[in-house]
Amino acid sequence: MGGHALLILLSVASLALLPGATPLQPSQAWSLFKLRQLLGDPPVLGTWHNYTDFCYGGDYKTASAFVECYEDSVTQLHIMGDPGAGARPLPATFSIDAFFTTLSRLPDLKVLTLTNLGLWGPLPGKISRLQKLEIVNVSSNYLYGELPRGLSQLGSLQTLVADHNMLGGKLPGWLKDMPLLAVLSLRNNMLQGTLPESLKDMLSLRSLVLASNNLSGNLPDLKNLQVIDMANNALGPKFPRLGRKVASVVLAGNKFSDGLPADMLASCYLLERLDVSGNRFVGPFPAALLSLPSMEYLSIAGNRFTGRLSGNASCGENLRFVDLSSNLLTGSLPGCLLAAPGKSVLFSANCLSTAGDDSQSQHPSPFCRNQALAVGIVPEQGHKKSGAKAGVVAGIVLVGALVVSAAVVFVVRKASAPKARPARRLVENASSAYPSNLLADARYISQTVKLGALGIPAYRSFSLVELEAATDNFQVSSLMGQDAHGQMYRGRLSNGTPVTIRSLKVNKSQSFTRHIEMISKLRHRHLVSALGHCFQYNLDDSTVTHLYLVFEYVHNGNLREGTEGRRLSWGQRISTAIGVAKGIQFLHGGIIPGLFANNLKITNILMDQNQVPKIGSYNIPILSETMKSEGGAGSKYPPDRICRVPNGDKIDMYDFGVILLEVISGRPISSIYEVEMMKEQLQSALTAQGPSKRSNLVDPAVSKGCSDDSMRTVMEVCLGCLAKEPTQRPSVEDVLWNLQFAAQVQDGSRRSSEESPLSPSQPHAQSAHDSPTHR
């Protein structure tokens, strides 16, 4: 074995000294360094060293390169070159076949991101060896050739993104053999020919992005899709068949002709973006598109649409960008496009009456009539719209918005019109859920998959029937507790997975889009993670009446019970505190925006069957928006909790300090008076000569096994967290560093023989306070 490889193995083996840490398999650590070597030691991997703890050491991680693990195996690998600097030339000896051979030595890999790295060559068929892959992003490289048939053997693959490469040939018909593929994005490649009819048989496919290729011919049936981007090809002339759940359709820069199917589009109440600019469309413009309830972006520019617009036409309340330029429209621009602020409206090169607005020049009316006659179309002489129909459309706005909020999120980057505001909605999907940034670009994807908690089921939407079956129709025997927001139930899914189900009463006026997007990201080793959600509707008006949130069920008690009853050893207590701190670190920086002021309590730190701590209560906005601020007499929290302050992360550090007090002393703390009293004792103990005074503060059940240096370090961390001034409290990163140091010192003291091992515990029926109530 070479010296370099031996150093890697020794550094990995040394991680076993950290309590609670599972070291990465040496063979996988070797594979990661081999990948770095094959890439020519790029700067993006400059933080990878022989002593790097890839699984549980956060120091090496950057926004452009990081690894995620479950137990001792790599499950996510993200390496993203600098898109602004251009791809760095790879070594002349680079072999993409050897690169993927090395990748195949990470058999548990689920998420793979390799972007802007200069990878060149055909995508190897041996990618099929990575049988657990769920998300792959290899955008902005120099991959060429056809898609390898080996991809069809990846039965778990849900997302494949290979934008900005040189992939060629036809889109293969064998894609239908990939049962879970939901997102396929091959933007800006060299694909050619017609699309296979088998696309209509891909029932799981929800997003298809094939913009900027050399595709031609008519599109197959696309009724299952929610996001369609076929811009800048040679497709047409027939407009494709769409489903009613479609959210985004971009067909700009193709060869579509004839007219738009007005009746089909009028039923697309979830449609947010429609771009058919730069085609050969003729015939009347369906003005009803302006009033679709979810429509945000509409462009018909550069066609030959005719029709007489009415100044009294209605617009949907979400409409933000409209481009009617370079058509043959007459009449008056609808007042709703001009009156409301925040709208961007382009309408030049038509024959519209602009009411004195000369900023967007128009042709004289005869021009449009003559042009329409030249292509064989008689322009409409008028366009009437009944008040009753306008009222129906207005009534659909609320229903459409609620249905949009009901599930998976797919949105395509709005690159063609920088003035348009990006869509941020949810689109219904009965099978699974994806955050709305999923297709934006490689960075968004990498951030999204970084959130995934591994070893638990994927986040998805549930049906009410599933939850009723899981809880025996919400029987009282399944009820764990309730509060002002609703009930908490314990259940078991059909596959045997135990879950906790939070039933929330909701207001009809509430918007759920951003809440579901946030909740779907709450997945981490040290959180009670979200598994999915379900909406219950009023059958009369289709409004949402209840929101059910599904979480892991953690059934091994809470941290207070571990310190009081089962008596965690001192080393185990430090390891548990490290886990809690990692959970806090994720809440603050692992999601955007971060979650702060999470009302952390020791009774809400739950322990799983492997004694891994999980934060079971955190500040989900859907609850905190309606919850009154806590505080007042008897509260153990400082006054700065009562309002939002710039130091929101420091509020959680104070709560963490209170938790550490209980971990150290083994005594429950219920008031700020007790906190202040123990702070004084800590200060006195830290300045005392000799360890006896410090030992007297530690839980007697474990004090004899404590290293004084370890004990002193934990006390110093605790005292720092409890500082009165928020700015004087340490960062969570500083806390983690010091606690890991305390763990190493404790392990090196060789006093573990004096500590009692933890005996297996029986499953614990949680109370409402011990469960993921998620304040």
PDB file of all heavy atoms in Angstrom, residues 119-144:
ATOM      1  N   LEU A 119     -15.388  17.662 -17.864  1.00  0.00           N
ATOM      2  CA  LEU A 119     -15.458  16.235 -18.189  1.00  0.00           C
ATOM      3  C   LEU A 119     -15.707  16.065 -19.681  1.00  0.00           C
ATOM      4  O   LEU A 119     -16.606  16.701 -20.240  1.00  0.00           O
ATOM      5  CB  LEU A 119     -16.575  15.564 -17.398  1.00  0.00           C
ATOM      6  CG  LEU A 119     -16.485  15.617 -15.863  1.00  0.00           C
ATOM      7  CD1 LEU A 119     -17.702  14.949 -15.250  1.00  0.00           C
ATOM      8  CD2 LEU A 119     -15.209  14.964 -15.369  1.00  0.00           C
ATOM      9  N   TRP A 120     -14.949  15.217 -20.340  1.00  0.00           N
ATOM     10  CA  TRP A 120     -15.157  15.015 -21.762  1.00  0.00           C
ATOM     11  C   TRP A 120     -15.143  13.524 -22.096  1.00  0.00           C
ATOM     12  O   TRP A 120     -14.510  12.726 -21.436  1.00  0.00           O
ATOM     13  CB  TRP A 120     -14.105  15.755 -22.600  1.00  0.00           C
ATOM     14  CG  TRP A 120     -12.675  15.455 -22.258  1.00  0.00           C
ATOM     15  CD1 TRP A 120     -11.897  16.081 -21.340  1.00  0.00           C
ATOM     16  CD2 TRP A 120     -11.851  14.445 -22.852  1.00  0.00           C
ATOM     17  NE1 TRP A 120     -10.644  15.536 -21.302  1.00  0.00           N
ATOM     18  CE2 TRP A 120     -10.580  14.535 -22.230  1.00  0.00           C
ATOM     19  CE3 TRP A 120     -12.039  13.482 -23.842  1.00  0.00           C
ATOM     20  CZ2 TRP A 120      -9.533  13.687 -22.572  1.00  0.00           C
ATOM     21  CZ3 TRP A 120     -11.002  12.638 -24.195  1.00  0.00           C
ATOM     22  CH2 TRP A 120      -9.756  12.741 -23.548  1.00  0.00           C
ATOM     23  N   GLY A 121     -15.907  13.211 -23.136  1.00  0.00           N
ATOM     24  CA  GLY A 121     -16.046  11.832 -23.561  1.00  0.00           C
ATOM     25  C   GLY A 121     -17.502  11.405 -23.525  1.00  0.00           C
ATOM     26  O   GLY A 121     -18.364  12.138 -23.035  1.00  0.00           O
ATOM     27  N   PRO A 122     -17.803  10.225 -24.030  1.00  0.00           N
ATOM     28  CA  PRO A 122     -19.186   9.722 -23.961  1.00  0.00           C
ATOM     29  C   PRO A 122     -19.528   9.310 -22.536  1.00  0.00           C
ATOM     30  O   PRO A 122     -18.684   8.793 -21.809  1.00  0.00           O
ATOM     31  CB  PRO A 122     -19.177   8.516 -24.905  1.00  0.00           C
ATOM     32  CG  PRO A 122     -17.754   8.058 -24.922  1.00  0.00           C
ATOM     33  CD  PRO A 122     -16.905   9.283 -24.737  1.00  0.00           C
ATOM     34  N   LEU A 123     -20.749   9.561 -22.129  1.00  0.00           N
ATOM     35  CA  LEU A 123     -21.196   9.145 -20.798  1.00  0.00           C
ATOM     36  C   LEU A 123     -21.150   7.625 -20.737  1.00  0.00           C
ATOM     37  O   LEU A 123     -21.851   6.948 -21.497  1.00  0.00           O
ATOM     38  CB  LEU A 123     -22.613   9.651 -20.544  1.00  0.00           C
ATOM     39  CG  LEU A 123     -23.156   9.509 -19.120  1.00  0.00           C
ATOM     40  CD1 LEU A 123     -22.301  10.310 -18.140  1.00  0.00           C
ATOM     41  CD2 LEU A 123     -24.596   9.972 -19.061  1.00  0.00           C
ATOM     42  N   PRO A 124     -20.337   7.032 -19.851  1.00  0.00           N
ATOM     43  CA  PRO A 124     -20.137   5.578 -19.871  1.00  0.00           C
ATOM     44  C   PRO A 124     -21.384   4.800 -19.443  1.00  0.00           C
ATOM     45  O   PRO A 124     -22.114   5.219 -18.546  1.00  0.00           O
ATOM     46  CB  PRO A 124     -18.997   5.356 -18.871  1.00  0.00           C
ATOM     47  CG  PRO A 124     -18.359   6.690 -18.688  1.00  0.00           C
ATOM     48  CD  PRO A 124     -19.461   7.692 -18.867  1.00  0.00           C
ATOM     49  N   GLY A 125     -21.583   3.654 -20.066  1.00  0.00           N
ATOM     50  CA  GLY A 125     -22.689   2.794 -19.692  1.00  0.00           C
ATOM     51  C   GLY A 125     -22.537   2.208 -18.303  1.00  0.00           C
ATOM     52  O   GLY A 125     -23.524   1.814 -17.678  1.00  0.00           O
ATOM     53  N   LYS A 126     -21.298   2.194 -17.789  1.00  0.00           N
ATOM     54  CA  LYS A 126     -21.081   1.617 -16.461  1.00  0.00           C
ATOM     55  C   LYS A 126     -21.659   2.487 -15.355  1.00  0.00           C
ATOM     56  O   LYS A 126     -21.581   2.117 -14.182  1.00  0.00           O
ATOM     57  CB  LYS A 126     -19.599   1.372 -16.221  1.00  0.00           C
ATOM     58  CG  LYS A 126     -18.714   2.586 -16.247  1.00  0.00           C
ATOM     59  CD  LYS A 126     -17.249   2.197 -15.990  1.00  0.00           C
ATOM     60  CE  LYS A 126     -16.727   1.226 -17.030  1.00  0.00           C
ATOM     61  NZ  LYS A 126     -15.299   0.896 -16.846  1.00  0.00           N
ATOM     62  N   ILE A 127     -22.270   3.611 -15.714  1.00  0.00           N
ATOM     63  CA  ILE A 127     -23.001   4.359 -14.695  1.00  0.00           C
ATOM     64  C   ILE A 127     -24.109   3.499 -14.106  1.00  0.00           C
ATOM     65  O   ILE A 127     -24.585   3.737 -12.991  1.00  0.00           O
ATOM     66  CB  ILE A 127     -23.591   5.662 -15.307  1.00  0.00           C
ATOM     67  CG1 ILE A 127     -24.089   6.596 -14.195  1.00  0.00           C
ATOM     68  CG2 ILE A 127     -24.689   5.352 -16.299  1.00  0.00           C
ATOM     69  CD1 ILE A 127     -24.565   7.943 -14.696  1.00  0.00           C
ATOM     70  N   SER A 128     -24.480   2.444 -14.835  1.00  0.00           N
ATOM     71  CA  SER A 128     -25.520   1.529 -14.349  1.00  0.00           C
ATOM     72  C   SER A 128     -25.090   0.792 -13.087  1.00  0.00           C
ATOM     73  O   SER A 128     -25.930   0.220 -12.387  1.00  0.00           O
ATOM     74  CB  SER A 128     -25.872   0.516 -15.435  1.00  0.00           C
ATOM     75  OG  SER A 128     -24.740  -0.281 -15.767  1.00  0.00           O
ATOM     76  N   ARG A 129     -23.784   0.782 -12.767  1.00  0.00           N
ATOM     77  CA  ARG A 129     -23.325   0.108 -11.557  1.00  0.00           C
ATOM     78  C   ARG A 129     -23.774   0.850 -10.292  1.00  0.00           C
ATOM     79  O   ARG A 129     -23.815   0.263  -9.210  1.00  0.00           O
ATOM     80  CB  ARG A 129     -21.800   0.011 -11.564  1.00  0.00           C
ATOM     81  CG  ARG A 129     -21.233  -0.818 -12.722  1.00  0.00           C
ATOM     82  CD  ARG A 129     -19.713  -0.836 -12.682  1.00  0.00           C
ATOM     83  NE  ARG A 129     -19.137  -1.546 -13.819  1.00  0.00           N
ATOM     84  CZ  ARG A 129     -17.838  -1.656 -14.051  1.00  0.00           C
ATOM     85  NH1 ARG A 129     -16.974  -1.110 -13.190  1.00  0.00           N
ATOM     86  NH2 ARG A 129     -17.398  -2.289 -15.116  1.00  0.00           N
ATOM     87  N   LEU A 130     -24.068   2.129 -10.438  1.00  0.00           N
ATOM     88  CA  LEU A 130     -24.516   2.926  -9.289  1.00  0.00           C
ATOM     89  C   LEU A 130     -26.023   2.768  -9.144  1.00  0.00           C
ATOM     90  O   LEU A 130     -26.809   3.674  -9.430  1.00  0.00           O
ATOM     91  CB  LEU A 130     -24.109   4.388  -9.480  1.00  0.00           C
ATOM     92  CG  LEU A 130     -22.600   4.642  -9.505  1.00  0.00           C
ATOM     93  CD1 LEU A 130     -22.293   6.034 -10.030  1.00  0.00           C
ATOM     94  CD2 LEU A 130     -22.007   4.450  -8.114  1.00  0.00           C
ATOM     95  N   GLN A 131     -26.423   1.615  -8.692  1.00  0.00           N
ATOM     96  CA  GLN A 131     -27.828   1.221  -8.716  1.00  0.00           C
ATOM     97  C   GLN A 131     -28.732   2.068  -7.829  1.00  0.00           C
ATOM     98  O   GLN A 131     -29.944   2.100  -8.026  1.00  0.00           O
ATOM     99  CB  GLN A 131     -27.953  -0.245  -8.299  1.00  0.00           C
ATOM    100  CG  GLN A 131     -27.545  -1.226  -9.376  1.00  0.00           C
ATOM    101  CD  GLN A 131     -28.536  -1.249 -10.529  1.00  0.00           C
ATOM    102  OE1 GLN A 131     -29.731  -1.485 -10.336  1.00  0.00           O
ATOM    103  NE2 GLN A 131     -28.059  -0.982 -11.733  1.00  0.00           N
ATOM    104  N   LYS A 132     -28.177   2.774  -6.863  1.00  0.00           N
ATOM    105  CA  LYS A 132     -29.011   3.541  -5.935  1.00  0.00           C
ATOM    106  C   LYS A 132     -29.163   5.011  -6.330  1.00  0.00           C
ATOM    107  O   LYS A 132     -29.787   5.782  -5.605  1.00  0.00           O
ATOM    108  CB  LYS A 132     -28.441   3.451  -4.524  1.00  0.00           C
ATOM    109  CG  LYS A 132     -28.487   2.036  -3.945  1.00  0.00           C
ATOM    110  CD  LYS A 132     -28.019   2.000  -2.493  1.00  0.00           C
ATOM    111  CE  LYS A 132     -28.098   0.586  -1.929  1.00  0.00           C
ATOM    112  NZ  LYS A 132     -27.659   0.530  -0.511  1.00  0.00           N
ATOM    113  N   LEU A 133     -28.614   5.398  -7.470  1.00  0.00           N
ATOM    114  CA  LEU A 133     -28.677   6.794  -7.889  1.00  0.00           C
ATOM    115  C   LEU A 133     -30.131   7.259  -8.017  1.00  0.00           C
ATOM    116  O   LEU A 133     -30.957   6.583  -8.623  1.00  0.00           O
ATOM    117  CB  LEU A 133     -27.970   6.989  -9.227  1.00  0.00           C
ATOM    118  CG  LEU A 133     -26.460   7.218  -9.183  1.00  0.00           C
ATOM    119  CD1 LEU A 133     -25.907   7.351 -10.588  1.00  0.00           C
ATOM    120  CD2 LEU A 133     -26.104   8.453  -8.359  1.00  0.00           C
ATOM    121  N   GLU A 134     -30.401   8.417  -7.454  1.00  0.00           N
ATOM    122  CA  GLU A 134     -31.720   9.038  -7.547  1.00  0.00           C
ATOM    123  C   GLU A 134     -31.676  10.376  -8.301  1.00  0.00           C
ATOM    124  O   GLU A 134     -32.610  10.721  -9.007  1.00  0.00           O
ATOM    125  CB  GLU A 134     -32.304   9.268  -6.152  1.00  0.00           C
ATOM    126  CG  GLU A 134     -32.551   7.983  -5.378  1.00  0.00           C
ATOM    127  CD  GLU A 134     -33.049   8.249  -3.971  1.00  0.00           C
ATOM    128  OE1 GLU A 134     -33.246   9.437  -3.615  1.00  0.00           O
ATOM    129  OE2 GLU A 134     -33.241   7.278  -3.215  1.00  0.00           O
ATOM    130  N   ILE A 135     -30.586  11.130  -8.127  1.00  0.00           N
ATOM    131  CA  ILE A 135     -30.441  12.435  -8.774  1.00  0.00           C
ATOM    132  C   ILE A 135     -29.049  12.528  -9.376  1.00  0.00           C
ATOM    133  O   ILE A 135     -28.052  12.299  -8.684  1.00  0.00           O
ATOM    134  CB  ILE A 135     -30.663  13.589  -7.777  1.00  0.00           C
ATOM    135  CG1 ILE A 135     -32.076  13.528  -7.207  1.00  0.00           C
ATOM    136  CG2 ILE A 135     -30.425  14.943  -8.443  1.00  0.00           C
ATOM    137  CD1 ILE A 135     -32.357  14.588  -6.153  1.00  0.00           C
ATOM    138  N   VAL A 136     -28.971  12.873 -10.658  1.00  0.00           N
ATOM    139  CA  VAL A 136     -27.697  13.031 -11.354  1.00  0.00           C
ATOM    140  C   VAL A 136     -27.703  14.377 -12.078  1.00  0.00           C
ATOM    141  O   VAL A 136     -28.646  14.688 -12.812  1.00  0.00           O
ATOM    142  CB  VAL A 136     -27.456  11.893 -12.373  1.00  0.00           C
ATOM    143  CG1 VAL A 136     -26.193  12.161 -13.183  1.00  0.00           C
ATOM    144  CG2 VAL A 136     -27.360  10.551 -11.666  1.00  0.00           C
ATOM    145  N   ASN A 137     -26.655  15.154 -11.871  1.00  0.00           N
ATOM    146  CA  ASN A 137     -26.491  16.421 -12.578  1.00  0.00           C
ATOM    147  C   ASN A 137     -25.064  16.504 -13.090  1.00  0.00           C
ATOM    148  O   ASN A 137     -24.121  16.623 -12.305  1.00  0.00           O
ATOM    149  CB  ASN A 137     -26.794  17.600 -11.648  1.00  0.00           C
ATOM    150  CG  ASN A 137     -26.678  18.934 -12.365  1.00  0.00           C
ATOM    151  OD1 ASN A 137     -26.544  18.985 -13.582  1.00  0.00           O
ATOM    152  ND2 ASN A 137     -26.720  20.012 -11.613  1.00  0.00           N
ATOM    153  N   VAL A 138     -24.891  16.417 -14.414  1.00  0.00           N
ATOM    154  CA  VAL A 138     -23.568  16.479 -15.046  1.00  0.00           C
ATOM    155  C   VAL A 138     -23.544  17.622 -16.057  1.00  0.00           C
ATOM    156  O   VAL A 138     -22.937  17.513 -17.128  1.00  0.00           O
ATOM    157  CB  VAL A 138     -23.204  15.131 -15.708  1.00  0.00           C
ATOM    158  CG1 VAL A 138     -22.933  14.072 -14.665  1.00  0.00           C
ATOM    159  CG2 VAL A 138     -24.319  14.670 -16.653  1.00  0.00           C
ATOM    160  N   SER A 139     -24.168  18.736 -15.711  1.00  0.00           N
ATOM    161  CA  SER A 139     -24.288  19.868 -16.630  1.00  0.00           C
ATOM    162  C   SER A 139     -22.960  20.580 -16.848  1.00  0.00           C
ATOM    163  O   SER A 139     -22.037  20.494 -16.032  1.00  0.00           O
ATOM    164  CB  SER A 139     -25.316  20.864 -16.088  1.00  0.00           C
ATOM    165  OG  SER A 139     -26.590  20.293 -16.006  1.00  0.00           O
ATOM    166  N   SER A 140     -22.900  21.317 -17.976  1.00  0.00           N
ATOM    167  CA  SER A 140     -21.781  22.217 -18.287  1.00  0.00           C
ATOM    168  C   SER A 140     -20.449  21.478 -18.324  1.00  0.00           C
ATOM    169  O   SER A 140     -19.472  21.861 -17.696  1.00  0.00           O
ATOM    170  CB  SER A 140     -21.738  23.376 -17.275  1.00  0.00           C
ATOM    171  OG  SER A 140     -22.947  24.097 -17.305  1.00  0.00           O
ATOM    172  N   ASN A 141     -20.412  20.393 -19.097  1.00  0.00           N
ATOM    173  CA  ASN A 141     -19.185  19.668 -19.373  1.00  0.00           C
ATOM    174  C   ASN A 141     -19.064  19.487 -20.888  1.00  0.00           C
ATOM    175  O   ASN A 141     -19.649  20.261 -21.654  1.00  0.00           O
ATOM    176  CB  ASN A 141     -19.187  18.321 -18.640  1.00  0.00           C
ATOM    177  CG  ASN A 141     -19.004  18.487 -17.142  1.00  0.00           C
ATOM    178  OD1 ASN A 141     -17.941  18.884 -16.673  1.00  0.00           O
ATOM    179  ND2 ASN A 141     -20.049  18.198 -16.369  1.00  0.00           N
ATOM    180  N   TYR A 142     -18.285  18.503 -21.325  1.00  0.00           N
ATOM    181  CA  TYR A 142     -18.101  18.256 -22.755  1.00  0.00           C
ATOM    182  C   TYR A 142     -18.460  16.805 -23.096  1.00  0.00           C
ATOM    183  O   TYR A 142     -17.764  16.139 -23.854  1.00  0.00           O
ATOM    184  CB  TYR A 142     -16.661  18.561 -23.171  1.00  0.00           C
ATOM    185  CG  TYR A 142     -16.251  19.988 -22.892  1.00  0.00           C
ATOM    186  CD1 TYR A 142     -15.425  20.290 -21.809  1.00  0.00           C
ATOM    187  CD2 TYR A 142     -16.710  21.034 -23.683  1.00  0.00           C
ATOM    188  CE1 TYR A 142     -15.058  21.597 -21.532  1.00  0.00           C
ATOM    189  CE2 TYR A 142     -16.348  22.343 -23.423  1.00  0.00           C
ATOM    190  CZ  TYR A 142     -15.525  22.622 -22.338  1.00  0.00           C
ATOM    191  OH  TYR A 142     -15.174  23.925 -22.075  1.00  0.00           O
ATOM    192  N   LEU A 143     -19.543  16.339 -22.519  1.00  0.00           N
ATOM    193  CA  LEU A 143     -19.995  14.977 -22.788  1.00  0.00           C
ATOM    194  C   LEU A 143     -20.609  14.912 -24.175  1.00  0.00           C
ATOM    195  O   LEU A 143     -21.377  15.790 -24.571  1.00  0.00           O
ATOM    196  CB  LEU A 143     -21.007  14.550 -21.726  1.00  0.00           C
ATOM    197  CG  LEU A 143     -20.513  14.600 -20.270  1.00  0.00           C
ATOM    198  CD1 LEU A 143     -21.645  14.267 -19.321  1.00  0.00           C
ATOM    199  CD2 LEU A 143     -19.338  13.656 -20.067  1.00  0.00           C
ATOM    200  N   TYR A 144     -20.279  13.862 -24.926  1.00  0.00           N
ATOM    201  CA  TYR A 144     -20.814  13.735 -26.280  1.00  0.00           C
ATOM    202  C   TYR A 144     -21.295  12.310 -26.509  1.00  0.00           C
ATOM    203  O   TYR A 144     -21.201  11.442 -25.639  1.00  0.00           O
ATOM    204  CB  TYR A 144     -19.767  14.152 -27.323  1.00  0.00           C
ATOM    205  CG  TYR A 144     -18.454  13.404 -27.250  1.00  0.00           C
ATOM    206  CD1 TYR A 144     -18.310  12.125 -27.800  1.00  0.00           C
ATOM    207  CD2 TYR A 144     -17.343  13.981 -26.642  1.00  0.00           C
ATOM    208  CE1 TYR A 144     -17.109  11.453 -27.748  1.00  0.00           C
ATOM    209  CE2 TYR A 144     -16.128  13.315 -26.569  1.00  0.00           C
ATOM    210  CZ  TYR A 144     -16.019  12.048 -27.129  1.00  0.00           C
ATOM    211  OH  TYR A 144     -14.827  11.380 -27.060  1.00  0.00           O
TER     212      TYR A 144
END
